[in-house]
Coordinates of all heavy atoms in Angstrom, one line a residue:
G1 N 118.1 -61.1 152.8 CA 118.2 -61.4 154.2 C 117.0 -62.1 154.7 O 116.1 -62.5 154.0
T2 N 117.0 -62.4 156.0 CA 115.9 -63.2 156.6 C 115.5 -62.5 157.9 O 116.2 -61.7 158.4 CB 116.4 -64.6 157.0 OG1 117.5 -64.5 157.9 CG2 116.8 -65.4 155.8
L3 N 114.3 -62.8 158.3 CA 113.7 -62.2 159.6 C 113.5 -63.4 160.5 O 113.0 -64.4 160.2 CB 112.3 -61.6 159.3 CG 112.3 -60.4 158.3 CD1 110.9 -60.0 158.1 CD2 113.2 -59.3 158.9
T4 N 114.0 -63.2 161.8 CA 113.9 -64.2 162.8 C 113.1 -63.6 164.0 O 113.5 -62.6 164.6 CB 115.3 -64.6 163.3 OG1 116.1 -65.0 162.2 CG2 115.2 -65.7 164.3
P5 N 111.9 -64.2 164.3 CA 111.2 -63.7 165.4 C 111.9 -64.1 166.7 O 112.6 -65.1 166.8 CB 109.8 -64.4 165.3 CG 110.1 -65.7 164.5 CD 111.3 -65.3 163.6
P6 N 111.7 -63.2 167.8 CA 112.3 -63.5 169.1 C 111.7 -64.7 169.7 O 110.5 -65.0 169.5 CB 112.1 -62.3 169.9 CG 110.9 -61.7 169.3 CD 110.9 -62.0 167.8
V7 N 112.5 -65.5 170.5 CA 111.9 -66.6 171.3 C 111.9 -66.0 172.7 O 112.9 -65.8 173.4 CB 112.8 -67.8 171.2 CG1 112.3 -68.9 172.2 CG2 112.9 -68.3 169.8
L8 N 110.6 -65.8 173.2 CA 110.4 -65.1 174.5 C 109.8 -66.1 175.5 O 109.1 -67.0 175.1 CB 109.5 -63.9 174.4 CG 110.0 -62.8 173.4 CD1 108.9 -61.7 173.3 CD2 111.3 -62.3 173.8
R9 N 110.1 -65.9 176.8 CA 109.4 -66.7 177.8 C 108.0 -66.2 178.1 O 107.2 -67.0 178.5 CB 110.3 -66.7 179.1 CG 111.6 -67.4 179.0 CD 112.4 -67.3 180.2 NE 111.7 -67.8 181.4 CZ 111.9 -67.3 182.6 NH1 112.8 -66.4 182.9 NH2 111.2 -67.8 183.6
S10 N 107.8 -64.9 177.8 CA 106.5 -64.4 178.0 C 105.6 -64.6 176.8 O 106.1 -65.1 175.7 CB 106.5 -62.9 178.3 OG 107.3 -62.2 177.4
E11 N 104.3 -64.3 176.8 CA 103.4 -64.5 175.7 C 103.5 -63.3 174.7 O 103.4 -62.2 175.1 CB 102.0 -64.6 176.2 CG 101.0 -64.8 175.1 CD 99.6 -64.9 175.6 OE1 99.4 -65.2 176.8 OE2 98.7 -64.6 174.9
M12 N 103.8 -63.6 173.5 CA 103.9 -62.6 172.4 C 102.4 -62.3 172.0 O 101.7 -63.3 171.6 CB 104.7 -63.0 171.2 CG 106.2 -62.6 171.4 SD 107.1 -62.7 169.8 CE 107.0 -64.4 169.5
Q13 N 102.0 -61.1 172.0 CA 100.7 -60.7 171.6 C 100.6 -60.2 170.1 O 99.7 -60.4 169.4 CB 100.0 -59.8 172.5 CG 99.8 -60.4 173.9 CD 99.3 -59.4 174.9 OE1 99.5 -58.2 174.8 NE2 98.5 -59.8 175.9
I14 N 101.6 -59.4 169.8 CA 101.6 -58.7 168.5 C 103.0 -58.7 168.0 O 103.9 -58.3 168.7 CB 101.1 -57.2 168.6 CG1 99.7 -57.2 169.1 CG2 101.2 -56.6 167.2 CD1 99.2 -55.8 169.5
V15 N 103.2 -59.1 166.7 CA 104.5 -58.9 166.0 C 104.1 -58.2 164.7 O 103.3 -58.7 163.9 CB 105.2 -60.2 165.8 CG1 106.4 -60.0 165.0 CG2 105.6 -60.9 167.1
E16 N 104.7 -57.1 164.5 CA 104.5 -56.3 163.3 C 105.9 -56.0 162.6 O 106.7 -55.3 163.2 CB 103.8 -55.0 163.5 CG 103.6 -54.2 162.3 CD 103.0 -52.8 162.6 OE1 102.8 -52.5 163.8 OE2 102.7 -52.0 161.7
W17 N 106.1 -56.7 161.5 CA 107.4 -56.5 160.8 C 107.3 -55.2 160.0 O 106.3 -54.9 159.4 CB 107.7 -57.6 159.9 CG 108.0 -58.9 160.6 CD1 107.2 -60.0 160.6 CD2 109.2 -59.2 161.4 NE1 107.8 -61.0 161.4 CE2 109.0 -60.5 161.9 CE3 110.3 -58.5 161.7 CZ2 110.0 -61.1 162.7 CZ3 111.3 -59.1 162.5 CH2 111.1 -60.4 163.0
K18 N 108.3 -54.3 160.1 CA 108.4 -53.1 159.3 C 109.3 -53.3 158.1 O 109.4 -52.4 157.2 CB 109.1 -52.0 160.2 CG 108.4 -51.7 161.5 CD 107.1 -51.0 161.3 CE 106.6 -50.7 162.7 NZ 105.3 -50.1 162.6
V19 N 109.9 -54.5 157.9 CA 110.6 -54.8 156.8 C 110.2 -56.2 156.3 O 109.6 -57.0 157.1 CB 112.2 -54.8 157.0 CG1 112.7 -53.4 157.4 CG2 112.5 -55.8 158.2
A20 N 110.6 -56.6 155.1 CA 110.3 -57.9 154.6 C 111.5 -58.5 154.0 O 112.4 -57.8 153.5 CB 109.2 -57.8 153.5
P21 N 111.6 -59.8 153.9 CA 112.8 -60.4 153.3 C 112.9 -59.9 151.8 O 111.9 -59.8 151.1 CB 112.4 -61.9 153.3 CG 111.5 -62.1 154.4 CD 110.7 -60.8 154.5
G22 N 114.1 -59.5 151.5 CA 114.4 -59.0 150.2 C 114.3 -57.5 150.1 O 114.7 -56.9 149.1
D23 N 113.8 -56.8 151.1 CA 113.8 -55.3 151.1 C 115.2 -54.8 151.1 O 116.1 -55.4 151.7 CB 113.1 -54.8 152.4 CG 111.6 -54.8 152.3 OD1 111.1 -55.2 151.2 OD2 110.9 -54.4 153.3
F24 N 115.4 -53.7 150.4 CA 116.7 -53.0 150.4 C 116.7 -52.0 151.6 O 115.8 -51.1 151.6 CB 116.9 -52.3 149.1 CG 118.2 -51.6 149.1 CD1 119.4 -52.3 148.9 CD2 118.3 -50.2 149.2 CE1 120.6 -51.6 148.9 CE2 119.5 -49.5 149.2 CZ 120.7 -50.2 149.0
I25 N 117.6 -52.1 152.5 CA 117.7 -51.2 153.6 C 119.1 -50.4 153.5 O 120.1 -51.1 153.5 CB 117.7 -52.0 155.0 CG1 116.4 -52.8 155.0 CG2 117.8 -51.0 156.1 CD1 116.3 -53.7 156.2
E26 N 119.0 -49.1 153.4 CA 120.2 -48.3 153.4 C 120.8 -48.2 154.8 O 120.1 -48.3 155.8 CB 119.9 -47.0 152.8 CG 119.5 -47.0 151.4 CD 119.3 -45.6 150.7 OE1 120.1 -44.7 151.1 OE2 118.4 -45.5 149.9
R27 N 122.1 -48.0 154.8 CA 122.8 -47.8 156.1 C 122.2 -46.6 156.8 O 122.0 -45.5 156.2 CB 124.3 -47.6 155.8 CG 125.1 -47.6 157.1 CD 126.5 -47.6 156.8 NE 126.9 -48.9 156.3 CZ 128.1 -49.3 155.9 NH1 129.1 -48.4 156.1 NH2 128.4 -50.4 155.5
T28 N 121.9 -46.7 158.1 CA 121.3 -45.6 158.8 C 122.0 -45.4 160.1 O 122.6 -46.3 160.7 CB 119.8 -45.8 159.0 OG1 119.3 -44.7 159.7 CG2 119.5 -47.1 159.8
T29 N 121.9 -44.2 160.7 CA 122.4 -43.9 162.0 C 121.3 -43.5 163.0 O 121.6 -43.2 164.1 CB 123.5 -42.8 162.0 OG1 122.9 -41.6 161.4 CG2 124.7 -43.2 161.1
C30 N 120.1 -43.6 162.5 CA 118.9 -43.2 163.4 C 118.6 -44.3 164.3 O 118.3 -45.4 163.9 CB 117.7 -42.9 162.5 SG 117.9 -41.5 161.4
G31 N 118.6 -44.0 165.6 CA 118.3 -44.9 166.6 C 116.8 -45.3 166.8 O 116.5 -46.3 167.3
H32 N 115.9 -44.5 166.2 CA 114.5 -44.7 166.3 C 113.9 -45.7 165.3 O 112.8 -46.1 165.4 CB 113.7 -43.4 166.3 CG 113.7 -42.7 165.0 ND1 114.8 -41.9 164.6 CD2 112.9 -42.8 163.9 CE1 114.5 -41.5 163.4 NE2 113.4 -42.0 162.9
E33 N 114.7 -46.0 164.2 CA 114.2 -46.9 163.2 C 114.3 -48.3 163.8 O 115.1 -48.7 164.6 CB 115.1 -46.8 162.0 CG 114.9 -45.5 161.3 CD 115.7 -45.5 160.0 OE1 115.6 -46.5 159.2 OE2 116.3 -44.4 159.7
R34 N 113.3 -49.2 163.3 CA 113.2 -50.5 163.9 C 112.7 -51.5 162.8 O 112.1 -51.1 161.8 CB 112.3 -50.6 165.1 CG 110.9 -50.2 164.8 CD 110.1 -50.1 166.1 NE 108.7 -49.9 165.8 CZ 108.1 -48.6 165.7 NH1 108.9 -47.6 165.9 NH2 106.9 -48.5 165.5
S35 N 113.0 -52.7 162.9 CA 112.6 -53.7 162.0 C 111.2 -54.3 162.3 O 110.6 -54.9 161.4 CB 113.6 -54.9 161.9 OG 113.8 -55.4 163.2
G36 N 110.8 -54.1 163.5 CA 109.4 -54.6 163.9 C 109.1 -54.2 165.3 O 109.8 -53.6 166.0
S37 N 107.8 -54.6 165.7 CA 107.3 -54.3 167.0 C 106.8 -55.6 167.6 O 106.2 -56.4 166.9 CB 106.2 -53.3 167.0 OG 106.7 -52.1 166.4
V38 N 106.9 -55.8 168.9 CA 106.4 -56.9 169.6 C 105.8 -56.4 170.9 O 106.3 -55.5 171.6 CB 107.5 -58.0 169.8 CG1 108.6 -57.5 170.7 CG2 106.8 -59.2 170.4
C39 N 104.6 -57.0 171.2 CA 104.0 -56.7 172.5 C 103.9 -58.0 173.3 O 103.5 -59.0 172.7 CB 102.6 -56.2 172.3 SG 101.7 -55.8 173.8
F40 N 104.5 -58.1 174.5 CA 104.5 -59.3 175.2 C 104.1 -59.1 176.7 O 104.1 -58.0 177.2 CB 105.9 -59.9 175.2 CG 107.0 -59.0 175.6 CD1 107.5 -59.1 176.9 CD2 107.6 -58.2 174.7 CE1 108.6 -58.2 177.2 CE2 108.6 -57.3 175.0 CZ 109.1 -57.4 176.3
S41 N 103.6 -60.2 177.3 CA 103.1 -60.1 178.7 C 103.2 -61.4 179.4 O 103.4 -62.4 178.8 CB 101.6 -59.7 178.7 OG 100.8 -60.7 178.1
D42 N 103.2 -61.3 180.7 CA 103.3 -62.5 181.6 C 102.9 -62.0 183.0 O 102.9 -60.9 183.3 CB 104.8 -63.0 181.6 CG 104.9 -64.3 182.2 OD1 105.0 -64.5 183.5 OD2 104.8 -65.3 181.4
N43 N 102.4 -63.0 183.7 CA 102.0 -62.7 185.1 C 103.2 -62.3 186.0 O 103.0 -61.7 187.1 CB 101.2 -63.9 185.7 CG 99.9 -64.0 185.1 OD1 99.3 -63.0 184.7 ND2 99.4 -65.2 185.1
S44 N 104.4 -62.7 185.6 CA 105.6 -62.4 186.3 C 106.4 -61.2 185.8 O 106.8 -61.3 184.6 CB 106.5 -63.7 186.3 OG 107.8 -63.3 186.8
F45 N 106.5 -60.2 186.6 CA 107.3 -59.0 186.1 C 108.7 -59.5 185.8 O 109.3 -59.0 184.8 CB 107.4 -58.0 187.2 CG 108.3 -56.8 186.9 CD1 107.9 -55.8 186.0 CD2 109.5 -56.8 187.4 CE1 108.7 -54.8 185.6 CE2 110.4 -55.7 187.1 CZ 110.0 -54.7 186.2
S46 N 109.3 -60.4 186.5 CA 110.7 -60.9 186.3 C 110.8 -61.4 184.8 O 111.8 -61.2 184.2 CB 111.0 -61.9 187.3 OG 112.3 -62.4 187.1
V47 N 109.8 -62.2 184.4 CA 109.9 -62.8 183.1 C 109.8 -61.7 182.0 O 110.6 -61.7 181.0 CB 108.7 -63.8 182.9 CG1 108.6 -64.3 181.4 CG2 108.9 -65.0 183.8
V48 N 108.9 -60.7 182.2 CA 108.8 -59.6 181.2 C 110.1 -58.8 181.2 O 110.6 -58.5 180.1 CB 107.6 -58.7 181.5 CG1 107.6 -57.5 180.7 CG2 106.3 -59.5 181.4
Y49 N 110.7 -58.6 182.4 CA 111.9 -57.8 182.5 C 113.1 -58.6 181.8 O 113.9 -58.0 181.0 CB 112.2 -57.6 184.0 CG 113.4 -56.7 184.2 CD1 113.3 -55.3 184.0 CD2 114.7 -57.3 184.6 CE1 114.4 -54.5 184.2 CE2 115.8 -56.5 184.8 CZ 115.6 -55.1 184.6 OH 116.7 -54.3 184.8
Q50 N 113.2 -59.9 182.0 CA 114.2 -60.6 181.3 C 114.0 -60.6 179.8 O 115.0 -60.5 179.1 CB 114.2 -62.1 181.9 CG 114.7 -62.2 183.3 CD 114.5 -63.6 183.8 OE1 114.2 -64.5 183.1 NE2 114.7 -63.7 185.2
D51 N 112.8 -60.8 179.3 CA 112.5 -60.7 177.9 C 112.9 -59.3 177.3 O 113.5 -59.2 176.2 CB 111.1 -61.0 177.6 CG 110.8 -62.5 177.6 OD1 111.8 -63.3 177.7 OD2 109.6 -62.9 177.6
A52 N 112.6 -58.3 178.1 CA 112.9 -56.9 177.6 C 114.4 -56.7 177.5 O 114.9 -56.2 176.5 CB 112.3 -55.9 178.5
N53 N 115.1 -57.2 178.4 CA 116.6 -57.2 178.4 C 117.2 -58.0 177.2 O 118.1 -57.6 176.5 CB 117.2 -57.6 179.7 CG 117.2 -56.5 180.7 OD1 117.2 -55.3 180.4 ND2 117.1 -56.9 182.0
Y54 N 116.6 -59.1 177.0 CA 117.0 -60.0 175.8 C 116.7 -59.3 174.5 O 117.6 -59.3 173.6 CB 116.2 -61.3 175.9 CG 116.2 -62.1 174.6 CD1 117.3 -62.8 174.2 CD2 115.0 -62.2 173.8 CE1 117.3 -63.5 173.0 CE2 115.0 -62.9 172.6 CZ 116.2 -63.6 172.3 OH 116.2 -64.3 171.1
L55 N 115.6 -58.6 174.4 CA 115.3 -57.8 173.2 C 116.2 -56.7 172.9 O 116.4 -56.3 171.7 CB 113.9 -57.4 173.2 CG 112.8 -58.5 173.1 CD1 111.4 -57.9 173.3 CD2 112.9 -59.2 171.7
L56 N 116.9 -56.1 173.9 CA 117.8 -55.0 173.7 C 119.0 -55.4 172.9 O 119.5 -54.6 172.1 CB 118.3 -54.5 175.1 CG 117.3 -53.8 175.9 CD1 117.9 -53.4 177.3 CD2 116.9 -52.5 175.2
S57 N 119.4 -56.7 172.9 CA 120.5 -57.2 172.1 C 120.1 -58.1 171.0 O 121.0 -58.6 170.3 CB 121.6 -57.8 173.0 OG 121.0 -59.0 173.7
F58 N 118.8 -58.4 170.9 CA 118.3 -59.3 169.8 C 118.3 -58.6 168.5 O 117.9 -57.5 168.3 CB 116.9 -59.8 170.2 CG 116.3 -60.7 169.2 CD1 116.7 -62.0 169.1 CD2 115.3 -60.2 168.3 CE1 116.2 -62.8 168.1 CE2 114.8 -61.1 167.4 CZ 115.2 -62.4 167.3
D59 N 118.9 -59.3 167.5 CA 118.9 -58.8 166.1 C 118.0 -59.7 165.2 O 118.5 -60.8 164.8 CB 120.3 -58.7 165.6 CG 120.5 -58.0 164.3 OD1 119.4 -57.5 163.8 OD2 121.6 -57.9 163.8
P60 N 116.8 -59.2 164.9 CA 115.9 -60.1 164.1 C 116.2 -60.1 162.6 O 115.7 -60.9 161.9 CB 114.6 -59.4 164.3 CG 114.9 -58.0 164.5 CD 116.2 -58.0 165.3
V61 N 117.1 -59.2 162.1 CA 117.4 -59.1 160.7 C 118.8 -59.7 160.4 O 119.8 -59.2 161.0 CB 117.3 -57.7 160.2 CG1 117.6 -57.5 158.7 CG2 115.9 -57.1 160.5
T62 N 118.8 -60.6 159.5 CA 120.1 -61.1 159.0 C 120.3 -60.5 157.6 O 119.5 -60.7 156.7 CB 120.1 -62.7 158.9 OG1 119.8 -63.2 160.1 CG2 121.4 -63.2 158.4
L63 N 121.4 -59.7 157.5 CA 121.6 -59.0 156.3 C 122.5 -59.8 155.3 O 123.3 -60.7 155.7 CB 122.3 -57.7 156.6 CG 121.6 -56.8 157.5 CD1 122.4 -55.5 157.7 CD2 120.3 -56.4 156.9
R64 N 122.3 -59.6 154.0 CA 123.1 -60.2 153.0 C 123.7 -59.1 152.2 O 123.0 -58.2 151.7 CB 122.2 -61.0 152.1 CG 122.9 -61.8 151.0 CD 122.0 -62.5 150.1 NE 121.0 -61.6 149.6 CZ 120.0 -61.9 148.8 NH1 119.8 -63.1 148.5 NH2 119.1 -61.0 148.4
A65 N 125.0 -59.1 152.0 CA 125.7 -58.1 151.2 C 125.4 -58.2 149.8 O 125.2 -59.3 149.2 CB 127.2 -58.2 151.4
L66 N 125.3 -57.0 149.1 CA 125.0 -57.0 147.7 C 126.3 -57.2 146.8 O 127.3 -56.9 147.2 CB 124.4 -55.7 147.3 CG 123.0 -55.5 147.9 CD1 122.5 -54.1 147.5 CD2 122.0 -56.5 147.4

């Protein structure tokens, strides 16, 4: 699989991947698991809010079937 960083309007300060390309990920139903973390900021609350909503549906991991 591949990892795709988000394209945000705000400034990304930290991106920490919890997975790496080629990692084997078992099917899970836990909502608290994540592929990575990002910290972002902007002088405009609206920009941060829009980026946060974008990240709710953003999928950074492209899976490849075995």
Side-chain angles (χ1 to χ4, degrees):
T2 59
L3 299 174
T4 305
V7 176
L8 303 176
R9 291 179 53 210
S10 54
E11 180 182 337
M12 271 196 294
Q13 295 177 329
I14 300 170
V15 174
E16 178 186 1
W17 293 109
K18 306 288 185 184
V19 295
D23 280 358
F24 179 76
I25 302 170
E26 293 187 34
R27 188 173 288 183
T28 180
T29 59
C30 297
H32 68 275
E33 292 186 41
R34 60 186 186 270
S35 57
S37 300
V38 61
C39 181
F40 52 98
S41 64
D42 194 271
N43 289 331
S44 168
F45 174 78
S46 177
V47 169
V48 172
Y49 185 77
Q50 289 171 11
D51 281 349
N53 280 329
Y54 164 72
L55 289 173
L56 289 174
S57 62
F58 178 74
D59 190 359
V61 178
T62 302
L63 302 177
R64 181 183 57 179
L66 296 176

